[in-house]
Amino acid sequence: MTSFWSLRRTLLAAGGAAGTVYAFSTYSRSKSNKKHRVHVVAADTPAPVPGPLPMRAANLQALQETAEFDVLVIGGGATGCGVALDAVTRGLKTALVERDDFSAGTSSRSTKLIHGGVRYLQKAIMGLDKEQYNLVKEALHERANLLEIAPHLSGPLPIMLPVYRWWQLPYFWAGIKAYDLVAGSQCVKSSYLLTKSRALELFPMLKKDRLVGAIVYYDGQHNDARMNLAIALSAARHGAAVANHMEVKSLTKSTDDNGKEVISGAIMKDTLTGEEITVKAKCVINATGPFTDGVRQMDNAEIPNICQPSAGVHIILPDYYSPESMGLLDPSTSDGRVIFFLPWAGLTIAGTTDSPCDVTHNPTPTEKEIQFILNEIKNYLSPDVSVRRGDVLAAWSGIRPLVSDPNSKNTQSISRNHVIEVSPTNLVTIAGGKWTTYRSMASDTVDKAIEVCSLEPRHKECQTDGLMLEGGDAYTPTMFIRLVQDFGLENEVAQHLAHTYGDKAFEVAKLAQMTGKRWPVVGKRLVEDFPYLEAEVKYAAKEYACTAIDVIARRTRLAFQNVQAAETALPTIVKLLGQELGWSKQRCKEEEEAAKEFLYMEMGGKAHLDVRAQITPDTNLPVADIERYTKRFNNVAGSKGFITHVDLENIIQNLGIDVSDDQLHDMLEEVDTNRNGQVELDEFLQLMNAAHLGYVTLSRLDRIMALTDNMVEKKAIPTHRSGGGV
């Protein structure tokens, strides 16, 4: 597909005048049946700056030295970054600041779907609700646009709707077909019916009792945090001054020519250095999601809240819980909430819950919410599939910023769409909405900002419909083959780089180190079983990563995929990022501790340890198992009554197994709940009890100790290996 910017350069080179408007059509690369799409663009829309991105220091300098911006956006989620990209491509002088990292909040904790909202369409039809219908129509257009402008980060996903009652089959079929019909030419792929046997063939984990058939429809799926980052980087390339880890402390005000008090900028602090600066702007836009009211009350402390936060928890399970390329939707959970069960990043994502919560920067998933999702999963998976708590590799909570419309007469009602509020001092607030419609929300917001603050853009109309995002311009589905052939990368790694960085993947590959092996030639991984490279940590610094959490949670998705794997990779990540950013030894230590706290509190580690701690060894294990495990423990512990690092090392040596010292330490650490450097019998039985209940799986210590059951005799332990002797 010819990109917008390639065509723009061609038009200008051929003598097209600045300000001239052109219409052209493209083919969507995200669909099997290529369809034309018409774009209307201005020839003098600012083009992205080629070459390296401006460094964070350069962006901070621009914030300090620019006399006055046209637009200052507060909030680096999908909506805030979308607003910044929209404003800068219209020719407005734009700044964007974010308290934490781009997509650190709700925008990185979604269900990973790009969807029109099939449930909203059902409500629109049943309730003859035009607002719901328009919401679906808008979202379906944005779904098609997002699949097109970031083809490396997104793609179509078939989702199965199992049907267990014959009368539901035509009912659901009519609703799904209406979904296709509303999408029109922007339909990803047509939905279709499946017989019971065919449904089980495609989704063999499905419960077959009473199953009468299934319906498959298509929505989009994406890497949400990377998509958010791509929007931010695109805004930076077009000339916006974007800065993460910049916290707005207060808003500044001045008097305009008419004597009216208006917002004129903000005082902000660099959370990494503590330095404060003042940024002036003609218009300040509040796009802070769940923290909407906090910024609104900086303007007016007496104003009532409009945000009604709701927590949505998701969990990550191993890949064997779902087919590689087929999702599942359960429309009738026990509390009426729809549950999605989807393949994502080589694993399975399940969620979400919906419960009122407090606004916090560190939302924590609770064990109750995790158990709810697991129990709902059991309802539609085959009894052959044991749904175990120990299979939960990560869990997170995202705060959904539901809002009541302050412009509505009934302020208690929740708005189904996004809300734009303008305060008496011209603070423009955008709230509500959903991930899929971030671009249209941004467009409406910039339109309102231009109107309210008398801004003078070079282009009055939005320029982002069809605008390729960072990495998407020259991406092709076969790009990974060149990465394999040109650099000697593993196929899995090459595909990961292509789908994560698009046409910037070659820049990452150039940073990859030689492995010293015959194959792969280059590409040292951060951790086994995941395709992330050490080179990505170095590249993350160029993408404004400032902390270890920025890397494990957003530049890579390791924290969202597997908490233990993320913790394993942490020392390497801290070392490499510290080298890039010039960290001291003390800073490296602080970064590692902060990242471990993040994994513990926000990625499900706390919930896992809490539920383990509640399990007692004498309540669930059969007597025969207790005797068997006690005998196994005594075989290793001997008369002293506990297992140490040396005991385990001796077993490994006698069995002839090659295990590193770090791995031995990890085996003990996962069982040593009281952290005294040794494992007692009650701790071991607690682990076995948790495994019996499915709360933990695949304990490495137990697997090693089980091998001792078949040892005919124990070899004598040399004194120099046992720590004894004089």
Side-chain angles (χ1 to χ4, degrees):
M1 182 181 76
T2 302
S3 78
F4 163 77
W5 299 112
S6 298
L7 183 58
R8 175 189 175 276
R9 288 190 288 269
T10 302
L11 291 171
L12 289 178
T20 305
V21 175
Y22 296 95
F24 65 97
S25 62
T26 62
Y27 286 103
S28 171
R29 286 179 289 195
S30 61
K31 307 178 182 66
S32 58
N33 51 335
K34 295 182 178 179
K35 299 175 183 178
H36 280 94
R37 188 168 176 202
V38 176
H39 304 266
V40 179
V41 299
D44 61 344
T45 298
V49 178
L53 284 161
M55 299 298 289
R56 181 174 182 270
N59 286 324
L60 293 178
Q61 185 177 4
L63 287 175
Q64 290 178 304
E65 296 181 356
T66 301
E68 185 179 46
F69 287 96
D70 292 315
V71 172
L72 168 62
V73 185
I74 306 174
T79 304
C81 290
V83 169
L85 181 59
D86 187 293
V88 75
T89 52
R90 296 201 205 194
L92 295 170
K93 196 177 296 183
T94 304
L96 166 71
V97 293
E98 160 60 39
R99 175 190 180 276
D100 197 329
D101 183 30
F102 306 115
S103 195
T106 307
S107 294
S108 65
R109 303 167 191 246
S110 73
T111 312
K112 321 303 179 195
L113 284 177
I114 310 170
H115 63 100
V118 66
R119 292 172 297 148
Y120 299 138
L121 183 61
Q122 178 190 22
K123 293 177 182 177
I125 295 173
M126 300 300 292
L128 299 177
D129 191 328
K130 186 177 180 181
E131 181 186 357
Q132 292 276 17
Y133 174 82
N134 290 337
L135 179 63
V136 175
K137 186 75 174 175
E138 175 189 60
L140 289 171
H141 170 79
E142 295 304 324
R143 180 187 70 178
N145 185 67
L146 202 49
L147 289 170
E148 182 177 325
I149 64 177
H152 56 305
L153 293 171
S154 62
L157 176 70
I159 301 175
M160 181 182 292
L161 179 64
V163 181
Y164 290 92
R165 293 180 177 86
W166 281 107
W167 67 265
Q168 290 180 330
L169 207 57
Y171 174 74
F172 288 153
W173 174 243
I176 294 298
K177 273 303 173 185
Y179 192 57
D180 290 350
L181 185 64
V182 174
S185 63
Q186 295 176 328
C187 178
V188 177
K189 288 183 181 180
S190 294
S191 56
Y192 54 90
L193 278 169
L194 290 174
T195 62
K196 175 180 178 179
S197 60
R198 181 59 176 157
L200 292 171
E201 181 181 339
L202 292 175
F203 208 119
M205 308 83 174
L206 202 60
K207 182 173 69 176
K208 60 183 178 181
D209 295 346
R210 300 191 307 276
L211 182 70
V212 298
I215 301 168
V216 175
Y217 74 98
Y218 285 81
D219 260 328
Q221 188 178 50
H222 69 153
N223 184 336
D224 53 2
R226 291 293 315 186
M227 185 73 80
N228 194 156
L229 181 63
I231 302 167
L233 298 180
S234 298
R237 282 204 183 276
H238 283 82
V242 302
N244 53 350
H245 300 283
M246 291 293 292
E247 180 180 8
V248 171
K249 305 298 291 184
S250 62
L251 301 175
T252 59
K253 298 180 181 180
S254 62
T255 303
D256 66 11
D257 295 339
N258 299 319
K260 175 186 175 183
E261 185 181 53
V262 295
I263 301 289
S264 59
I267 298 173
M268 58 194 68
K269 181 179 77 172
D270 187 332
T271 61
L272 303 175
T273 65
E275 182 182 0
E276 288 195 358
I277 62 173
T278 299
V279 176
K280 292 186 176 297
K282 297 175 183 176
C283 180
V284 174
I285 296 176
N286 173 17
T288 53
F291 307 98
T292 292
D293 290 321
V295 176
R296 292 173 68 243
Q297 286 159 7
M298 287 182 186
D299 176 29
N300 179 0
E302 304 300 322
I303 199 168
N305 290 346
I306 61 171
C307 185
Q308 300 183 26
S310 173
V313 170
H314 294 81
I315 64 174
I316 286 287
L317 298 165
D319 57 350
Y320 53 73
Y321 272 86
S322 67
E324 184 179 355
S325 56
M326 177 70 74
L328 187 142
L329 182 152
D330 178 10
S332 54
T333 62
S334 58
D335 70 347
R337 175 77 174 172
V338 170
I339 287 281
F340 285 98
F341 193 67
L342 314 167
W344 178 73
L347 297 163
T348 303
I349 182 173
T352 178
T353 61
D354 186 12
S355 55
C357 67
D358 296 326
V359 176
T360 173
H361 290 288
N362 310 108
T364 302
T366 66
E367 184 59 29
K368 180 180 179 181
E369 292 166 316
I370 293 172
Q371 290 294 342
F372 167 77
I373 296 173
L374 290 174
N375 289 333
E376 294 300 330
I377 290 172
K378 292 176 184 177
N379 292 334
Y380 56 80
L381 290 188
S382 167
D384 295 338
V385 179
S386 178
V387 180
R388 304 177 298 185
R389 175 61 176 82
D391 283 335
V392 178
L393 304 176
W396 66 87
S397 176
I399 301 178
R400 188 182 178 200
L402 303 175
V403 293
S404 55
D405 189 347
N407 304 311
S408 172
K409 293 181 180 179
N410 179 12
T411 57
Q412 298 303 311
S413 62
I414 298 294
S415 174
R416 303 183 184 101
N417 210 328
H418 61 270
V419 171
I420 298 176
E421 178 200 37
V422 179
S423 76
T425 56
N426 289 356
L427 174 66
V428 178
T429 293
I430 171 67
K434 59 181 181 176
W435 222 120
T436 305
T437 58
Y438 85 91
R439 195 205 62 82
S440 61
M441 292 165 62
S443 176
D444 292 346
T445 304
V446 176
D447 285 344
K448 179 60 70 173
I450 291 171
E451 173 194 338
V452 170
C453 298
S454 303
L455 304 180
E456 298 179 358
R458 188 157 60 247
H459 306 294
K460 188 175 181 181
E461 300 299 324
C462 174
Q463 302 291 303
T464 57
D465 195 357
L467 178 69
M468 301 301 289
L469 296 182
E470 175 85 353
D473 194 41
Y475 168 81
T476 64
T478 56
M479 178 181 291
F480 75 95
I481 298 175
R482 283 182 53 200
L483 290 167
V484 174
Q485 294 176 339
D486 294 354
F487 294 93
L489 291 163
E490 294 173 271
N491 192 315
E492 180 190 11
V493 171
Q495 291 198 50
H496 154 67
L497 293 181
H499 287 302
T500 302
Y501 302 96
D503 57 27
K504 301 296 184 290
F506 297 97
E507 297 179 16
V508 182
K510 290 175 183 177
L511 299 174
Q513 294 177 325
M514 302 286 289
T515 62
K517 303 177 183 178
R518 185 190 65 81
W519 188 262
V521 179
V522 301
K524 190 174 180 181
R525 297 194 185 204
L526 281 169
V527 64
E528 293 181 27
D529 301 327
F530 289 90
Y532 301 113
L533 300 183
E534 290 185 0
E536 294 181 72
V537 181
K538 298 179 181 180
Y539 194 76
K542 303 177 187 296
E543 293 184 324
Y544 307 138
C546 300
T547 69
I549 298 173
D550 293 349
V551 175
I552 62 172
R554 271 108 32 199
R555 302 311 180 280
T556 71
R557 305 312 310 276
L558 201 50
F560 283 78
Q561 293 171 285
N562 190 310
V563 169
Q564 291 184 2
E567 188 167 356
T568 300
L570 257 182
T572 302
I573 290 172
V574 169
K575 177 184 175 182
L576 293 172
L577 192 60
Q579 290 172 352
E580 294 295 312
L581 301 179
W583 289 346
S584 64
K585 288 185 179 180
Q586 180 60 28
R587 173 68 188 276
C588 287
K589 181 180 179 181
E590 292 171 355
E591 283 291 330
E592 189 165 346
E593 289 175 353
K596 287 181 178 179
E597 179 72 6
F598 168 79
L599 294 173
Y600 175 73
M601 292 299 297
E602 299 186 45
M603 289 293 115
K606 183 179 185 298
H608 194 194
L609 290 180
D610 285 350
V611 73
R612 285 264 312 267
Q614 295 171 6
I615 301 172
T616 56
D618 58 349
T619 55
N620 295 288
L621 278 175
V623 174
D625 283 346
I626 293 177
E627 293 176 352
R628 176 163 56 92
Y629 291 134
T630 301
K631 180 180 179 181
R632 180 178 297 171
F633 179 86
N634 290 333
N635 283 343
V636 179
S639 60
K640 65 181 183 295
F642 56 83
I643 297 173
T644 66
H645 184 282
V646 174
D647 295 325
L648 192 55
E649 190 175 34
N650 290 329
I651 293 174
I652 296 295
Q653 184 183 46
N654 292 338
L655 291 172
I657 301 173
D658 184 20
V659 177
S660 71
D661 193 63
D662 287 342
Q663 289 172 321
L664 286 176
H665 177 78
D666 290 344
M667 287 183 198
L668 284 175
E669 182 107 321
E670 68 183 9
V671 187
D672 183 17
T673 55
N674 60 16
R675 297 294 184 262
N676 64 352
Q678 56 194 35
V679 177
E680 284 86 10
L681 176 60
D682 64 333
E683 289 177 313
F684 183 65
L685 290 178
Q686 183 183 11
L687 173 69
M688 294 301 95
N689 188 42
H692 174 71
L693 295 174
Y695 285 99
V696 297
T697 57
L698 302 177
S699 165
R700 293 173 291 179
L701 177 64
D702 181 52
R703 293 299 183 273
I704 291 293
M705 292 175 62
L707 296 176
T708 66
D709 292 349
N710 300 319
M711 296 176 65
V712 178
E713 59 181 4
K714 298 179 69 175
K715 296 182 180 179
I717 300 173
T719 56
H720 75 279
R721 298 295 292 170
S722 65
V726 292

